[in-house]
Amino acid sequence: MADSQQTDPAPSWWSRPEGTAELRREGVPAPRPEAGQPGPEPGPAADPYTGAASGPEPDAPAAPVVRYDPWGDQPLQVVDRGRQRRGVGLWQLVAFGAGVALLAGGIGGYLGVVAERQSSTRLELPQAGVAAAGRAPGSVAGIAATALPGVVTLHVRSTDGSGTGTGFVLDAQGHILTNNHVVGDAKDIGVTFSTGESVSAELVGRDTGYDLAVVKVSGVRGLRPLSLGNSENVQVGDPVVAIGAPFDLSNTVTAGIISATGRPVTAGGDKGDGSDVSYVDALQTDAPINPGNSGGPLLDAKAHVVGINSAIRGADKDDPDRQGGSIGLGFAIPINQGKRVAEELIRTGRATHPVIGVTLDLQYKGDGARVGDKAADGKPSVVTDGPGARAGIRAGDVITKVDGQRVRGGDELIIKIRAHRPGDPLTLTVLREGRERTLEVVLGSANGS
């Protein structure tokens, strides 16, 4: 039998007809019996090809065939559609999106790291090239480069402990200038150069009144003496550079200006008898100076030494906000005075002091310096045939000016006098019995301590 596709019109039972089952056309299945009613008796199955009944007994009556009734109340098969699916909530979408974002970020970061490590391109930020090492001679860096080879750090050990100070080379013979309070009681003195080389030094001479001392090193080659300037040329506002070892930090460079000149400064006095008091007609600077800077050079714009850093003014001890270090008030001994004293110390081990041959009343509270009535040993306050006596100074006179510069006290008069050399002439303004007098005096000489 050849294969063919049925092309007959669709059977009319696809649309349920009105009427009884007896009116069904041939070949239309019988309706499904109602529940609880007996169905037709089973019979032999019909041959699907011939329509003839088949079975062991061909003559037996045919059993009723159960056919599918499309209009039956209960279909033969029931489709299990499972549990009804519910809609997706907003929080689930948010959680899902966050998870995807984290996963994507992690994967992207990992891939970026791997790509960077495997990339042959090297990351380099823009940077200036290497410049010439030299600096302008008048700059702070230029001044420091010139002076540092001639500056040394002093490590001193005494019976009271150890300390640090600064000095600078004066000549090729190894003489080094520093402060007396740095090496005054030293048992051992060590000198360290800017190159790091360290040697021992010996004390040549010192002077308490000027707070200056000279030590010497031996067997050191290539010494670089510093050039000495002239402190008379210094003016307020001039730039200066200080070099030293504050708190043992060697080769420390600071910069500032000359804040004032001719500042009367006294230091020392720890012994109580006045023998260790130094009187300085100082240069004032705001270049930071701290403990350990003492004895170091104060340099001008030409890298010439114009002063020896010696003292600082700190806050009052009873000030609750007292600052322990520099507050911008540093003082240096003028190099003209330091040069003269250093030369004398190198020659003789001692320095001379200019004097006028009078004893001052240091308890006097008025304006000026009053000549005492008697000396401490009971002798006359004006030395017989001394410089003051020859100039006409008398006991009780009040000296108010030196070379036209006002004097406010006895310490200031001493400082003004010691700023000169023995033999220098001075003009003194003296107040006597209410009248001012002008006296000419030639300074005498006395050995220092």
Side-chain angles (χ1 to χ4, degrees):
M1 182 170 87
D3 293 334
S4 64
Q5 183 176 0
Q6 180 68 33
T7 58
D8 293 340
S12 59
W13 55 262
W14 281 14
S15 297
R16 188 170 187 179
E18 296 294 336
T20 60
E22 287 74 14
L23 299 178
R24 291 192 304 272
R25 294 176 57 184
E26 183 180 358
V28 177
R32 195 170 186 176
E34 295 293 336
Q37 295 181 2
E41 294 295 329
D47 189 332
Y49 293 101
T50 63
S54 61
E57 298 180 359
D59 295 335
V65 178
V66 179
R67 298 180 181 275
Y68 170 68
D69 182 2
W71 295 286
D73 293 335
Q74 297 180 356
L76 296 179
Q77 294 88 10
V78 178
V79 178
D80 185 3
R81 299 183 181 274
R83 192 172 183 179
Q84 186 176 1
R85 181 172 298 178
R86 302 176 65 182
V88 179
L90 178 60
W91 69 271
Q92 293 173 313
L93 292 175
V94 173
F96 178 75
V100 171
L102 290 175
L103 180 61
I107 294 174
Y110 174 75
L111 294 177
V113 173
V114 172
E116 181 180 356
R117 291 180 177 177
Q118 294 179 350
S119 175
S120 59
T121 303
R122 182 179 178 183
L123 174 63
E124 289 190 8
L125 298 175
Q127 182 182 23
V130 178
R135 293 290 186 271
S139 66
V140 174
I143 296 169
T146 301
L148 275 171
V151 180
V152 301
T153 300
L154 301 174
H155 295 95
V156 179
R157 186 174 61 85
S158 66
T159 55
D160 296 331
S162 60
T164 302
T166 309
F168 59 92
V169 179
L170 291 173
D171 54 30
Q173 287 71 43
H175 292 105
I176 295 171
L177 183 61
T178 186
N179 282 137
N180 172 71
H181 72 262
V182 173
V183 297
D185 298 323
K187 298 295 183 181
D188 295 306
I189 303 173
V191 174
T192 302
F193 293 86
S194 60
T195 58
E197 180 184 5
S198 296
V199 296
S200 297
E202 61 178 2
L203 180 64
V204 174
R206 64 189 185 92
D207 185 88
T208 301
Y210 287 113
D211 192 21
L212 291 172
V214 173
V215 300
K216 184 179 181 182
V217 296
S218 301
V220 179
R221 297 182 179 180
L223 292 174
R224 298 278 297 274
L226 297 189
S227 299
L228 304 184
N230 191 326
S231 51
E232 294 295 331
N233 298 331
V234 175
Q235 296 185 14
V236 174
D238 284 347
V240 287
V241 172
I243 302 180
F247 301 102
D248 204 15
L249 298 173
S250 59
N251 303 323
T252 295
V253 178
T254 57
I257 62 170
I258 294 294
S259 303
T261 60
R263 289 293 196 202
V265 175
T266 59
D270 296 333
K271 293 183 178 180
D273 57 2
S275 61
D276 62 338
V277 177
S278 59
Y279 300 88
V280 180
D281 194 31
L283 301 174
Q284 180 182 330
T285 179
D286 66 348
I289 297 174
N290 289 285
N293 275 103
S294 294
L298 187 68
L299 304 141
D300 64 12
K302 297 181 179 179
H304 295 164
V305 181
V306 294
I308 302 102
N309 301 317
S310 300
I312 61 173
R313 175 70 166 89
D316 295 334
K317 293 182 179 180
D318 56 353
D319 184 354
D321 299 325
R322 183 172 183 263
Q323 181 176 337
S326 171
I327 59 173
L329 294 174
F331 302 95
I333 301 170
I335 193 59
N336 288 14
Q337 182 173 317
K339 176 179 178 293
R340 180 184 72 82
V341 173
E343 290 170 345
E344 291 186 350
L345 292 176
I346 292 172
R347 286 198 307 265
T348 66
R350 301 178 69 88
T352 58
H353 296 173
V355 295
I356 59 175
V358 301
T359 300
L360 298 177
D361 179 9
L362 297 180
Q363 304 301 319
Y364 177 69
K365 302 300 182 183
D367 191 22
R370 182 179 183 275
V371 179
D373 297 324
K374 293 288 183 178
D377 56 2
K379 294 181 180 181
S381 58
V382 180
V383 178
T384 303
D385 199 28
R390 291 194 293 268
I393 298 177
R394 299 179 184 178
D397 285 351
V398 177
I399 302 173
T400 58
K401 295 180 182 179
V402 175
D403 284 343
Q405 295 182 351
R406 178 164 293 281
V407 173
R408 295 175 176 80
D411 290 346
E412 192 168 340
L413 175 62
I414 296 173
I415 291 169
K416 295 295 185 185
I417 291 174
R418 289 194 179 180
H420 295 79
R421 294 173 178 266
D424 287 348
L426 293 179
T427 299
L428 304 180
T429 301
V430 175
L431 183 63
R432 181 187 301 167
E433 298 177 353
R435 297 178 56 186
E436 283 191 345
R437 301 171 184 268
T438 300
L439 304 177
E440 302 292 334
V441 61
V442 177
L443 297 177
S445 177
N447 290 327
S449 56

